[in-house]
Amino acid sequence: MGSSSLIGEWSRQFAELVDDLVCVCREGRIVWINTAGHRLMAGTTPDRSLLIGRPFRDLVHGDYRDIVDMGLGVLADDGGAMPLLLSTLDGTVVEVELKASRVAPSPPSILSGDEDGEAVLIHARDVTERVRSVANLLESEHRYRNLVEMSLNLIVVVQDDRLVVANAAARTLLGGSCADDLLSHRFAELVHADYRDIIDLGLDTLAGEPGVLPLKMVGLDGAVHDVEVRVIPFGARGYMIEGRDISDRMRSAEALREREARLQGVLDTVAEGIVTADERGLIQSVNPAAERLFGWKRNELVGRNLSVLMPTRYAAYHDGHLAAYHGGGQSKAFARSRELEGMRKDGTVFPIELSLAEMRIGRSRLYTGVIRDITERKRAEAALKRYNEQLEAHVRERTEELRALSRQSESILESAGDGIVALDNTGMITVANPAAAEMLGWGRAALVGKDAANVFRYGDTRRIGRAVPVRAALRRGMFHDRTELTLLRRDGSSFEAEYASAPIEDNGIRSGAVVLFRDISERKKAEDRLRVAATVFETTAEGIAVCSADGTVTTANPAFATITGHPVREVIGCSVGAVFGCGEFDMATMLAGLHATGHWVGEQWSCRPGGDEYASRIAASAVPEEDGAGMHQFVVVVNDITQRKRDEERIRYQANYDALTGLPNRALFLDRLEHGVAAARRSGATVGLMFIDLDGFKAVNDTLGHEAGDELLKGAADRLRNCVRESDTVARLGGDEFTVIMDNVEGRAGAAIVAQRIIRTLEVPFDLGGREGRVSASIGIALFPADAADCEELLRNADTAMYAAKAQGKKNHQFYEPGTAVEAETVQAPAPA
C-alpha cells in the first residue's frame, strides 16, 4: 500500500473519531461526510446516500443561506470560526460553530475525494446546548438577583467590612430610600454597641457557627431591631449575611411569659378549686384552692388517679366512664355544671358543683375541672325548702280561716242586730237580713224584690210617709255614712234610725248599693252615751277635726294635734287645707267629693311645723243639713300611716330594684321589656336588647375582695346610665351581668354606636379605694322584630349573641345571627329580688 493510501485511510479514521460534523464538499455538494455528521443531520437513518451529492446550502438555515451562496471557498478564505444555524432533514435547527478550509487537488485523499480538483473541508461543532446553558445561566443569575431583592429576609454582602450589596428588606429594616444609602456604611456601624465585641471577632469566625446568631442592629434612624443572622462566606474576603427581624417575636414571647404569669397568679388566687388531669385520669396540676378544698398537698396529688378525690360510689365507675368516652361514647359532663360529692383527705364527704372542660393538645387530651364547695348553698336550699313548706302550711291554714270567716260573715249577716239590705242599680232589694225585716215590720221573704222606695219611708212630722229617695241617690251616686233619720215601719209606727249606704262595686263598676240601718232610739235617750262619745273623741288615736262647710276647723281632738304637729288652739279657726297644705292636699277636690258623695278618702305626705314629714290617711264625711238639702259640716279623720307607707315603699323598691346598684332588677327589667316589645309591635318601631357581661370582673372580685367588686359594679352601673338615653332601661340581672333596653333604636347602626360607647367607657380603669380595677365588656345584641318574634326569643338571642362576643375574644359586641352555635344560659323567668 502506498503512502497516499495510508494517509487517506488515516484521515478517514481520524474524521470518524471526531464527535463533530466533518464533511468534504466539491463545487458546493457533499462528497463525503463522517458518521457524527450524518447522525447530526439525518438522525439514525443508515443510508448515507441521503446526504452524498446534496448541496451543502440545503443543510443551512434559510437566514444564513446568503452567506453560503457566496461560495464555500470564501468561508475557507476567511479562516476563522463563525456561528451558523443548520437545518436537519427533519427540520430541527442546530446552532454550530463552523470552520471551512481548502483541500489541495493532489495527491487524492479521502478528504478531497477520488477526483482531481479543489475541495472544501467543513468542520462544524454543535454548540446548541452550550448556547442554551449560557442563556440559562444568564437567566438564573437574573432570577437569583430578583429573589435576593424580593426576599423578606435581610440580605447584605460585606466585602472588606463594607456593604457592597443590600436588598430591599435590608433597606426597609435599616433605613435608606436606595441601596447607596447603606453601601456607604461599614457593617460594624450597623451593629448595636452591645454586640460590637462579637463583630470584632471577625465575620470568618461567625461564618463557622452552624446555626443562627442573635444580634441587635441599629438602623440609620437609630431604631434598634432584634434579628437572628447567618454568616456565609462569599467569594474572596466576602461574606453574605442573611438576617430575620425577630422584634415582634421577642415582644410576643415576652407578652406570652407575662400572660402566663398573670394566668398562674389568677389560678393561685381564685376561690374555686381547679384540677387538671390527662386522658388516663391522672392528676397533672392543682391550684392552692383545690389543696385547701380537699386537704391534700400538690405533690401528694400530682400523678394520682382522680378517684382519690371521689367517694367510693363515684370512684368505682369513673375509670370505666372515661374509657367509654375515649372509645367514642357521648358524655353530658361537659354540657353543664353538675352537683356531685367530693371526698377530702380525711375521708369526709361534702357537696360540690363541678364544671368540666376538655382541651386537645395534638392527639392528647387534658381535662380541667372547676370545683366549688356548695355546702353553705345546700344548707340555704334546705332552709328555703323548709320555709316554703311552712309557707304552704300557713296558706292552707289561712284558706281555712277565710272559709271560716266567710261562714262567719254569713252567720253575722243572719244574726246581726243591724238591718242590712242590698239593692241593685234600679233600687230593688236583692238581700235583706232578719234584723232588717224585723225592724221594718216586713217578712224577710217579702222584702226581696221590693222597691226600696216603698220600704224606706220618712217618719218625721214634716215628711211623714214620704219615701227615702233611694233610686235618686243611686242614680246620682250619693251615698250616706251614718245618717240619722226617722223611719216608718210597715204598720206606720216609727223609730229613730242610723242610716248608711255605700256602693257595691265589681272591678270598679257599680252594681248596686248596700244600706245599713239600726234602731238608735235608746241611744238618743241616753245622755251618758253622748258623754262616752265625747270621751272617745278626746282619747282616740285617730285625729279628728270637725269643720264647717267651707273647711274651717271648729273642733279638733288631741290626736289631731299630735299627728299634724299643730296645737289644737292654733288649728281652731284655720282652714283644714292650711293644716295639710305643705303636701299635695287639694281642698277643692275634697269639698267636691263631699258635696257629690257625702264622703272623701285620700292619702298624702305632709309636713309638721318643725319640718318632719309624715304620711296620713284622711277620711272626710259630710254632715248634712237637717233637711238633707246640703252639707252642714263635715268631719275629718286622720290616721298616721308613716310607718306603713315607708314599709310599702321599701317593699316596692326591694321588689323592683337592685340593692347594690340601684338599677332595675330582673323582675322590673322583664316588665319593662314586655311593655317595650308591646309598644314596638303596635307602632312598628325597633327595640334593641343588649346583654352585657363584665370580662375580668371575677379576677377583680377575687384579687381585690368583694367590697372592691361591689364598688366596681356600682361604678359600672353609673357609667352604663351615662351611656344611654333617659328613656332607655339599664338593669342588673345578677352578678356581673347587665342589660340595656333601647326603645325606638335606629337599627343595628344605632345599637352599635351605643355598644361601642359602653365598651370604651367600661375599659377605663376603676379607682377602687386607691387600687385599680380593670374590666372590659362582651356585648350581645338582638333586635325586635328583626331577630325575634317575642320577648322570650329576644332574651334568648341576645344572650346567645353575648356568648358569641366572648368567643370572639371578648371586649367586643356581636349581633345575633341565626344558626350561631354558642351555648348560653338564657333568662327564662324573673327571679326573686
Side-chain angles (χ1 to χ4, degrees), residues 161-163 185-193 196 199-200:
D161 196 34
R162 290 196 174 272
L163 272 66
H185 290 269
R186 296 172 57 250
F187 179 71
E189 296 173 354
L190 302 176
V191 177
H192 193 275
R196 293 277 172 80
I199 301 303
D200 290 343

Side-chain angles (χ1 to χ4, degrees), residues 481-482 537 542-547 560 563 576 580 585 589-591 593-594 597-604 615-623 631 633-641 644:
D481 186 13
R482 294 194 299 272
F537 177 82
E542 294 180 331
I544 301 174
V546 179
C547 305
F560 185 86
I563 293 173
V576 70
F580 303 117
F585 185 80
T589 300
M590 184 184 73
L591 291 175
L594 289 171
T597 65
H599 66 277
W600 178 88
V601 178
E603 294 182 357
Q604 75 160 39
S616 60
R617 181 185 184 274
I618 305 171
S621 297
V623 178
M631 182 175 66
Q633 57 186 7
F634 63 93
V635 179
V636 175
V637 180
V638 182
N639 289 282
D640 189 344
I641 59 171
R644 193 195 80 191

Side-chain angles (χ1 to χ4, degrees), residues 298-321:
R298 184 177 314 196
N299 57 355
E300 295 176 324
L301 284 176
V302 173
R304 299 189 65 172
N305 194 283
L306 282 170
S307 59
V308 73
L309 304 178
M310 306 174 188
T312 304
R313 62 179 179 277
Y314 295 137
Y317 301 103
H318 176 263
D319 290 345
H321 287 318

Side-chain angles (χ1 to χ4, degrees), residues 2-33:
S3 60
S4 296
S5 299
L6 287 174
I7 294 173
E9 185 63 26
W10 177 86
S11 300
R12 182 191 300 269
Q13 290 182 5
F14 178 78
E16 289 293 344
L17 293 174
V18 178
D19 289 333
D20 303 330
L21 179 150
V22 178
C23 67
V24 177
C25 296
R26 193 185 300 278
E27 295 180 357
R29 293 179 179 272
I30 298 172
V31 296
W32 183 87
I33 187 168

Side-chain angles (χ1 to χ4, degrees), residues 439-462:
M439 278 188 282
L440 294 174
W442 288 80
R444 184 180 182 187
L447 279 177
V448 178
K450 285 284 186 182
D451 189 339
N454 296 329
V455 174
F456 293 100
R457 294 178 297 154
Y458 287 104
D460 57 35
T461 56
R462 293 184 299 165

